[in-house]
Structures are given as C-alpha cells and as structure tokens.
Amino acid sequence: MNGVISKIQGEVKKQGREDEEFLPFTEKGNVIEGESIATGKNGSSTLEFVEFANIEMRPNSEIGLSNLIPEQFLVIQRKGKVIYKSFVTEKPLSVRSLHLLVQVSGVSQITTLTDGRISVEILSGQAKAAYVDLNNKTHLTLSYDLHGVCLLP
C-alpha cells in the first residue's frame, strides 16, 4: 500500500529507500515502504493511507515506513510526537518506538522523548503495548482504553 503526504507545513524532509540522506520535501506526494519522513523545529506533516490510517507528525519528529501491508502495517518512530489514526478495527497499525511496540486501534499519540522515555496517550479506541528489554525479553504487556496514558522509562 502506498501513502500520500497530504499536508506539509514548514520544514519536512524525506529519505528514499536508495537515498543516503534526507532531502527537502516541499510538495504533496507519494510515500512508499522503506522511506523515512522527518519534520524540523517548525515543521508538521500528515500522511494518509486511504481507508486505513492517517499519521500526523508534529515538529521535530521522525518516522520510518517499515511495512505498509495492512495486515502487518509497521511504523518505526525514531523521535518526536506523532498521532496515529487507525480506521480499520480488525487491522490495527503497529508502531515501534525504541523498545516499545504499540498496536493502535483508534487514535493514539506517541511521544518519544530524548531521554529514552516513551509516552502513549489514547485519544480514542484502544492501544496495546509490549515492552522489550535489551536482552529481548518481554517484561510487561499493557492494554489501555480511551484516555489511558502510559509513560515508560
């Protein structure tokens, strides 16, 4: 599945699968699996995946589009604050941020802080999370409904 960057405000950059660095992205256009998107300090962007999900990136955010198959949709969030809106309940989207994997059904805001902590705020629907340590062991699984907030070290 391909996506479209439908909104660009301020500094937004894209790194293609074959690119070695991020390049300015100033016009609305397609995004594909394997690409990365980053916003600057005054930048924001919205990515749309028709009838599946929207991703709203806030300033100083970076994501990688790891897998865009709806059944295995996975975004890697490297930094910043991003809102994920999943439209298909039976096919939630997944977000990996540092050592946390979050499955979103509804609308969730995930913030990856510079000190290595992660905040997950459920704005509607549900989110499930698994926390994995450096030894690849799962320590806890979380499931929150509307307005749950989780902050992990």
Side-chain angles (χ1 to χ4, degrees):
M1 168 183 2
N2 292 340
V4 175
I5 294 185
S6 61
K7 178 188 155 209
I8 295 174
Q9 186 172 6
E11 182 185 11
V12 177
K13 294 182 178 184
K14 180 170 93 168
Q15 183 177 22
R17 293 189 280 197
E18 310 267 327
D19 296 336
E20 293 192 23
E21 60 186 46
F22 282 90
L23 301 171
F25 199 74
T26 56
E27 296 180 15
K28 298 174 185 178
N30 292 332
V31 291
I32 59 173
E33 186 172 293
E35 294 184 325
S36 295
I37 310 296
T39 57
K41 67 178 181 178
N42 66 342
S44 64
S45 182
T46 300
L47 287 69
E48 295 181 4
F49 298 89
V50 177
E51 296 182 10
F52 184 74
N54 282 0
I55 300 173
E56 297 176 7
M57 298 178 65
R58 301 296 187 237
N60 293 318
S61 296
E62 182 181 332
I63 62 169
L65 303 173
S66 182
N67 191 335
L68 300 184
I69 298 170
E71 291 79 12
Q72 302 168 351
F73 196 94
L74 176 64
V75 174
I76 307 301
Q77 182 172 327
R78 297 183 184 104
K79 67 176 186 175
K81 184 181 290 188
V82 182
I83 296 176
Y84 298 91
K85 297 179 180 180
S86 173
F87 303 133
V88 184
T89 310
E90 58 276 358
K91 294 179 188 172
L93 66 89
S94 296
V95 179
R96 192 185 90 210
S97 180
L98 303 176
H99 46 274
L100 184 70
L101 180 65
V102 181
Q103 199 173 53
V104 176
S105 295
V107 181
S108 290
Q109 175 176 283
I110 299 176
T111 306
T112 306
L113 304 170
T114 56
D115 65 0
R117 293 181 302 151
I118 303 160
S119 168
V120 179
E121 182 178 358
I122 294 88
L123 305 174
S124 70
Q126 184 181 59
K128 296 178 183 177
Y131 178 85
V132 180
D133 70 11
L134 295 176
N135 295 319
N136 206 26
K137 294 184 180 178
T138 302
H139 286 281
L140 76 133
T141 302
L142 307 166
S143 180
Y144 288 101
D145 290 319
L146 182 60
H147 301 299
V149 176
C150 168
L151 183 65
L152 295 174

